């Protein structure tokens, strides 16, 4: 039997995230027929609420899947084997999106960038301008690269497409940004948005979706990639304009409640809260980094600091997973590890979803103790975070 750790488990992973109690209660549901009027009302309310959060009044296709499923659905519905898409690199998730896409015979051009800074807009624009024949059918951007904690300015990517007079579709992965910081699908001219339930939406993993513009739907009509469960065409014929087969009801009961919480707080206040808690985390990280041979913020461009996750690089001589192990075993705090090339070199503090000041300070205090126990030199991070939060 595992030994019970008393008190709250502090869950500071960059997704999934803490699920508010009222959302847990809303999901405590017996089975019901998904065509019953009571459920149809719940589904319609959830869908309309998600449209508001996305700033989008068009289609949303839902799938019983995680983010990977939504990536796959999006690519096989928009493109055909032999088409070319440009994926903006920058971390583990953009690399994985590109790898998944290539499996379907879609040609992927990867825009290689400095992972610690993200794409330079001049580089992107020059790439688009060089594509005179408009071979590139889409530009794919991960809004918030959860592995590196670098966020991309999506309006600037839209501007690069416009300035290059390039007709490519604009696809955005918002899996770790939606419900955490500003996102506006229609205003930013985004044609397909990939999202998932388990981060800013504060729900369990297992529901994913693509929101699509009219231009995206027109591209779908020409797509010949094989697809069945994810095929949007039969979905459009259904009452739900989503799903193939059984509709999972439970996540929608949860989504109605989680979107109610976000709307009650106000989207702008939700974004401001995430910015405040992220600012406190970075203030702590910068104070820890003030000691020689200590930790560093992985992201090197302050204008691209993520407000939902902070990736922290540890000294060469330290295994970041050993620090995480101390956090988990001694202090009951769960953090994210380094992905792919960053494995062992970084740990990640998630500050997205249902979180407040004492929760983030508790996590930061545990991290500071873990740095001390790991004998990593560091300055007074928690004090800096408290100073930030009371300034
Ligand atoms: C930015 C981003 N994209 C895609 C994914 C993949 O989503 P999932 O793990 O839900 O399949 C993740 C997961 O963390 C992510 O952070």
């Amino acid at each position: 039997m595992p030994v019970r750790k008393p008190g709250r488990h502090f869950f500071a992973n960059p997704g999934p995230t803490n699920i508010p109690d009222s959302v847990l209660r809303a999901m405590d549901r017996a089975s019901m027929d998904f065509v019953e009027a009571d459920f149809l009302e719940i589904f319609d309310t959830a869908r309309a609420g998600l449209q508001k959060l996305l700033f989008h009044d068009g289609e949303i296709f839902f799938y019983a899947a995680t983010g990977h499923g939504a990536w796959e659905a999006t690519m096989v519905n928009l493109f055909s084997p032999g088409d070319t898409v440009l994926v903006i690199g920058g971390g583990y998730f953009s690399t994985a999106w590109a790898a998944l896409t290539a499996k379907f015979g879609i040609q992927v051009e990867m825009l290689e960038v400095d992972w610690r800074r993200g794409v330079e807009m001049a580089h992107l624009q020059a790439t688009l301008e060089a594509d005179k024949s408009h071979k590139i059918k889409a530009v794919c951007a991960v809004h918030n690269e959860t592995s590196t904690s670098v966020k991309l300015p999506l309006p600037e990517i839209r501007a690069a497409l416009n300035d290059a007079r390039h007709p490519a579709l604009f696809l955005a992965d918002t899996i770790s940004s939606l419900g955490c910081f500003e996102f506006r699908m229609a205003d930013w001219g985004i044609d397909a948005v990939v999202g998932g339930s388990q981060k800013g939406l504060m729900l369990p993993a297992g529901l994913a979706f693509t929101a699509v513009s009219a231009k995206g739907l027109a591209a779908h009509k020409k797509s010949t990639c094989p697809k069945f469960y994810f095929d949007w065409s039969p979905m459009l014929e259904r009452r739900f304009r989503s799903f193939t087969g059984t509709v999972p009801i439970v996540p929608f009961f949860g989504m109605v409640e989680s979107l109610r919480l976000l709307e009650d707080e106000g989207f702008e206040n939700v974004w401001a809260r995430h910015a405040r808690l992220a600012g406190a985390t970075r203030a702590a990280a910068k104070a820890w980094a003030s000691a020689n041979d200590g930790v560093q913020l992985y992201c090197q461009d302050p204008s691209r600091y993520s407000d939902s996750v902070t990736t922290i690089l540890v000294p060469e001589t330290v295994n970041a997973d050993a620090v995480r192990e101390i956090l988990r075993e001694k202090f009951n705090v769960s953090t994210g590890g380094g992905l792919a090339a960053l494995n062992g070199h970084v740990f990640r503090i998630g500050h997205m979803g249902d979180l407040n000041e004492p929760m983030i300070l508790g996590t930061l205090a545990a991290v500071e103790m873990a740095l001390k126990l790991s004998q990593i030199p560091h300055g007074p991070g928690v004090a800096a975070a408290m100073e930030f939060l009371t300034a």
Side-chain angles (χ1 to χ4, degrees):
M1 282 285 282
V3 179
R4 176 178 179 268
K5 295 194 174 105
R8 275 253 169 203
H9 174 47
F10 266 52
F11 196 68
N13 282 46
T17 61
N18 298 296
I19 304 174
D21 291 345
S22 66
V23 174
L24 286 172
R25 283 195 292 271
M27 291 188 299
D28 187 358
R29 290 280 153 182
S31 292
M32 67 194 287
D33 192 330
F34 55 81
V35 295
E36 251 181 51
D38 285 357
F39 178 67
L40 296 180
E41 192 183 328
I42 288 291
F43 179 83
D44 292 345
T45 306
R47 188 176 181 283
L50 188 57
Q51 282 177 318
K52 271 198 206 165
L53 183 64
L54 288 159
F55 291 85
H56 163 62
D57 58 14
E59 298 295 344
I60 303 176
F61 300 103
F62 290 101
Y63 331 100
T66 64
H68 280 78
W71 270 343
E72 180 166 331
T74 304
M75 303 321 269
V76 299
N77 274 288
L78 291 175
F79 308 109
S80 304
D83 281 351
T84 298
V85 301
L86 181 71
V87 175
I88 298 176
Y92 172 80
F93 289 105
S94 55
T95 308
W97 193 3
L100 174 151
T101 302
K103 288 277 183 198
F104 295 95
I106 299 163
Q107 308 295 312
V108 176
E109 265 185 38
M110 192 78 182
L111 202 61
E112 296 297 348
V113 310
D114 177 345
W115 279 24
R116 296 188 71 174
R117 311 192 78 89
V119 67
E120 280 180 30
M121 288 305 145
H123 182 195
L124 173 63
Q125 191 164 330
T127 307
L128 292 170
E129 280 168 359
D131 179 34
K132 301 273 184 253
S133 65
H134 296 164
K135 179 179 72 154
I136 295 170
K137 296 282 182 280
V139 172
C140 305
V142 175
H143 191 193
N144 183 68
E145 179 45 80
T146 326
S147 61
T148 59
S149 306
V150 173
K151 88 172 169 206
L152 292 183
L154 298 181
E156 289 180 29
I157 298 178
R158 175 77 266 166
L161 275 156
N162 291 354
D163 292 350
R165 297 182 188 283
H166 201 295
L169 295 173
F170 181 12
L171 276 51
D173 168 334
T174 65
I175 288 174
S176 60
S177 59
L178 189 68
C180 304
F181 46 88
E182 186 174 16
F183 177 77
R184 297 177 191 272
M185 178 172 174
D187 289 357
W188 296 354
I190 298 173
D191 297 300
V193 174
V194 175
S197 53
Q198 77 273 25
K199 302 196 197 242
L201 287 175
M202 308 178 290
L203 294 166
L207 188 72
F209 58 86
T210 315
V212 190
S213 72
K215 186 174 163 189
L217 283 178
H220 164 65
K221 297 273 182 286
K222 291 186 257 155
S223 150
T224 63
C225 274
K227 47 197 165 278
F228 187 90
Y229 178 72
F230 288 127
D231 194 346
W232 294 345
S233 289
M235 288 184 192
L236 285 167
E237 306 296 319
R238 294 192 84 185
R239 164 66 175 72
F240 299 97
R241 302 175 83 75
S242 279
F243 294 110
T244 300
T246 305
V247 176
I249 63 157
V250 168
F252 289 98
F253 280 95
M255 191 186 284
V256 167
E257 175 59 10
S258 72
L259 289 169
R260 186 190 70 76
L261 295 177
L262 293 176
E263 266 201 85
D264 270 11
E265 186 176 348
F267 296 154
E268 307 223 336
N269 296 330
V270 170
W271 301 336
R273 173 169 55 82
H274 279 81
R276 197 164 63 246
L277 300 181
T281 307
R282 290 191 293 264
K286 284 178 187 164
W288 292 329
S290 63
N292 284 335
D293 305 321
V295 298
Q296 290 172 38
L297 278 175
Y298 186 78
C299 176
Q300 289 182 317
D301 178 349
S303 73
R304 292 190 173 177
Y305 285 152
S306 163
D307 283 342
S308 57
V309 53
T310 298
T311 301
I312 296 177
L313 187 64
V314 300
E316 280 293 325
T317 50
V318 175
N319 180 349
D321 287 338
V323 180
R324 292 178 59 229
E325 176 80 5
I326 295 174
L327 280 164
R328 191 168 45 240
E329 292 309 316
K330 268 192 116 42
F331 304 122
N332 203 6
V333 173
S334 177
T335 51
L339 297 170
L342 297 182
N343 187 248
H345 300 292
V346 302
F347 64 94
R348 295 175 299 146
I349 301 174
H351 31 78
M352 58 177 96
D354 191 36
L355 209 66
N356 62 17
E357 284 80 353
M359 290 164 84
I360 198 71
L361 287 171
T363 296
L364 296 174
V367 171
E368 193 159 318
M369 290 189 285
L371 294 177
K372 183 171 179 193
L373 292 173
S374 307
Q375 297 178 344
I376 300 175
H378 58 277
V382 176
M386 290 197 296
E387 191 56 40
F388 178 91
L389 289 171
T390 49

